[in-house]
Amino acid sequence: MGPLSPTRTMRLWGPRSLGVALGVFMTIGFALQLWGGPFQRRLPGLQLRQSLAPSPGSGSAVSSCLPRQRLVFLKTHKSGSSSVLNLLHRYGDQHGLRFALPARYQFGYPRLFQASRVKGYHPQGGGAKPLFHILCHHMRFNLKEVLRVMPSDSFFFSIVRDPAALARSAFSYYKSTSSAFRKAPSLAAFLANPRAFYRPGARGDHYARNLLWFDFGLPFPSEIKTERGNPHAPRDPNLPQLNVLPSGTGPRAHHPLDPKGVFHPAPTVAGGHGQTSSPASLDLRSSSLLQWSLAWLDSVFDLVLVAEYFDESLVLLADALCWGLDDVVGFMHNAQAGGEQGRGAVSNGGLTAEDRQLTARARAWNHLDWALYVHFNHSLWARINQYGQSRLESAVAELRARREALAKHCLQGGEALDPKYITDQRFRPFQFGSGKVLGYVLRSGLSAADQEECERLATPELQYKDKLDAKQFPPTVSLPLKTPRILSPQASDQS
């Protein structure tokens, strides 16, 4: 695996028991509250991020920086992550970067990620690792195994979505896959009495509750044992309650956390965990685990995007990676007809009383996801304030104008279309669930150069993965590029 940078060494150093770890965290957290905020440290030698535009009145040239090209993207489900995946596919394809690819379309999900599932990965005993630049396809996050594949100074990022919007999308998409969803006549009926349908450990039911928490590879409260003689959780009822610490507005807010010594998610299947029923029912043990988990995620991930502020998130991503704005301009992918397509926050203002009740119930049922969302929404806006509101608004306006211009130039009708209009299988997205997944048809008469760029923008994730696979592992006999034939989301797991 080779030597780790001080940053990743800090990630992997830590106490061997959850009790000690939680005690250390609470002490640090309490001190930080008194001192006014979390400590922040940068990667050794990391240059300041390049701005997309000079700050008004700065009177000086923008600091130069090198584009980041070692990337780990945790592709969460039903959170707009397919659109992010497309920009990573395009960037890596255009710059000749090497992807850590799964044999099919995901890394053994819902099992935890294992390095052995990366195509072409061979452990190098003490030597250099195979050269991979980007790891970005569906997995259940497992830091120890990820670091066997990717350099320790890679840029880690992910995306979250309001659990209420995510629940609506997941219910439609995974109704035939989740036993809980399959038994419920509607999402409203499911959320009115979820325990009548949900059974912990039932096949596919990880899609029905706290899906983001599951994808991040975090343990559930019931997985942290507190039996007599087990040192894995504190028992002191007078331990101080901590507020959720905002994640760092720099690359990371580091804490000496050890995922090996703290987190032990179910090693094989999705189930096996009993989750508490609502935020109000969280006991001290669950609350401590929540605080610890959020701090650990802050120590690992450089940036977490928010689907409801997708364009703002893309501007911050380009800034953090020292990429150009064109590198993050793209089309929405895997959007369902009639869906929200990840745009706009769920607010009570435009909702009916029934919708407001469904939203509240979805957030309560998915209370761990709601905690993640609130935490990373807070951190996103902290970064926005650091970046500058007016500067961000200008960049977002430019990004949207470029996207609209590309859509008019590349796409028939200038927008996503019903799949019945898409006859070219290279651009027809995989159809699964009760909703139709929209796709794109290219305009005729494009120049060769424009045709190539527009194809990259419009290619769905499965077909693009096959294209990259054929490029990295060319067949010994020339064969036409196959059209993906997927029978279940276990093979594709779109988001």
Side-chain angles (χ1 to χ4, degrees):
M1 180 171 152
L4 293 179
S5 70
T7 299
R8 287 301 190 268
T9 301
M10 182 172 290
R11 290 181 184 176
L12 295 176
W13 179 89
R16 293 185 177 275
S17 72
L18 184 58
V20 175
L22 289 171
V24 171
F25 169 67
M26 288 179 176
T27 301
I28 294 173
F30 183 70
L32 291 176
Q33 290 182 72
L34 293 177
W35 296 336
F39 292 119
Q40 299 175 20
R41 299 181 185 177
R42 289 186 176 272
L43 286 167
L46 180 64
Q47 299 179 23
L48 292 176
R49 296 172 296 169
Q50 181 182 17
S51 303
L52 292 174
S55 300
S58 62
S60 60
V62 178
S63 301
S64 62
C65 63
L66 295 176
R68 302 290 296 271
Q69 294 187 336
R70 300 294 178 86
L71 312 173
V72 175
F73 174 57
L74 175 60
K75 186 179 186 297
T76 53
H77 288 80
K78 312 315 299 174
S79 299
S81 61
S82 293
S83 303
V84 179
L85 189 66
N86 176 262
L87 70 88
L88 293 175
H89 281 166
R90 288 187 286 117
Y91 185 90
D93 190 16
Q94 290 174 304
H95 290 82
L97 305 183
R98 187 171 176 83
F99 288 82
L101 297 172
R104 297 192 70 182
Y105 298 102
Q106 44 81 27
F107 293 105
Y109 189 89
R111 294 175 175 85
L112 288 166
F113 174 81
Q114 296 293 319
S116 60
R117 291 187 175 273
V118 175
K119 191 171 182 179
Y121 170 77
H122 302 289
Q124 307 288 320
K129 283 182 284 192
L131 180 60
F132 293 116
H133 296 92
I134 302 176
L135 172 65
C136 59
H137 293 87
H138 272 311
M139 62 175 162
R140 190 181 182 203
F141 191 66
N142 184 356
L143 177 62
K144 179 182 177 182
E145 288 292 308
V146 166
L147 291 177
R148 295 186 187 277
V149 177
M150 297 299 297
S152 61
D153 61 350
S154 299
F155 184 92
F156 282 62
F157 70 111
S158 187
I159 185 169
V160 296
R161 186 182 187 184
D162 187 321
L166 192 154
R168 291 178 172 91
S169 180
F171 185 84
S172 171
Y173 198 84
Y174 296 118
K175 186 169 177 58
S176 64
T177 304
S178 164
S179 62
F181 287 161
R182 189 166 55 247
K183 291 181 287 187
S186 66
L187 179 60
F190 173 78
L191 291 173
N193 187 16
R195 295 196 180 279
F197 308 101
Y198 176 83
R199 295 291 179 270
R203 183 176 178 82
D205 275 7
H206 61 287
Y207 293 118
R209 191 174 197 199
N210 291 316
L211 181 54
L212 290 172
W213 189 272
F214 183 86
D215 284 353
F216 274 99
L218 298 170
F220 291 89
S222 63
E223 293 174 358
I224 307 300
K225 299 179 180 179
T226 57
E227 288 86 354
R228 184 174 181 178
N230 190 317
H232 289 321
R235 293 179 178 274
D236 184 357
N238 297 315
L239 286 173
Q241 295 295 309
L242 302 179
N243 295 321
V244 177
L245 294 174
S247 58
T249 55
R252 290 185 190 90
H254 292 295
H255 305 274
L257 307 178
D258 180 1
K260 296 184 296 182
V262 177
F263 296 143
H264 300 282
T268 53
V269 297
H273 48 75
Q275 302 179 35
T276 50
S277 59
S278 72
S281 68
L282 288 174
D283 58 14
L284 174 62
R285 176 165 50 93
S286 301
S287 180
S288 299
L289 174 65
L290 179 63
Q291 306 297 327
W292 177 262
S293 300
L294 294 174
W296 183 79
L297 291 176
D298 282 342
S299 78
V300 173
F301 286 88
D302 298 89
L303 176 65
V304 176
L305 316 180
V306 176
E308 283 72 20
Y309 302 100
F310 190 73
D311 291 342
E312 292 85 351
S313 295
L314 290 183
V315 169
L316 295 179
L317 178 65
D319 182 59
L321 296 179
C322 193
W323 287 8
L325 198 60
D326 284 332
D327 294 323
V328 296
V329 174
F331 304 147
M332 295 300 293
H333 281 266
N334 205 43
Q336 298 183 61
E340 300 171 10
Q341 301 187 31
R343 301 301 184 85
V346 176
S347 64
N348 289 336
L351 300 178
T352 65
E354 183 179 356
D355 285 337
R356 286 196 295 272
Q357 183 183 60
L358 188 147
T359 294
R361 286 175 172 175
R363 290 170 175 172
W365 173 246
N366 298 284
H367 61 280
L368 297 174
D369 280 7
W370 178 240
L372 284 179
Y373 181 80
V374 170
H375 181 70
F376 288 120
N377 185 61
H378 184 186
S379 73
L380 181 82
W381 283 95
R383 294 181 76 120
I384 287 174
N385 290 333
Q386 184 186 56
Y387 185 88
Q389 280 275 8
S390 60
R391 181 171 162 233
L392 181 81
E393 290 172 4
S394 176
V396 167
E398 184 179 356
L399 182 148
R400 290 173 177 169
R402 294 189 192 186
R403 179 189 292 132
E404 183 177 358
L406 282 171
K408 289 180 178 178
H409 182 71
C410 290
L411 304 178
Q412 190 176 108
E415 61 183 1
L417 300 176
D418 186 291
K420 69 182 179 182
Y421 299 113
I422 306 173
T423 57
D424 190 334
Q425 294 301 310
R426 295 177 302 162
F427 305 116
R428 182 180 171 85
F430 176 66
Q431 300 296 311
F432 190 83
S434 59
K436 294 179 180 179
V437 179
L438 303 177
Y440 301 102
V441 176
L442 300 187
R443 290 177 57 244
S444 58
L446 296 170
S447 69
D450 287 352
Q451 179 77 20
E452 181 180 8
E453 178 58 25
C454 292
E455 285 183 1
R456 286 194 178 108
L457 287 160
T459 301
E461 63 180 273
L462 302 189
Q463 289 92 320
Y464 216 137
K465 185 268 174 185
D466 284 339
K467 174 184 175 181
L468 296 170
D469 198 313
K471 185 176 180 180
Q472 288 186 197
F473 304 96
T476 54
V477 179
S478 179
L479 296 174
L481 188 65
K482 64 180 183 296
T483 299
R485 181 175 179 271
I486 313 300
L487 299 179
S488 75
Q490 298 302 319
S492 66
D493 271 329
Q494 299 277 287
S495 353

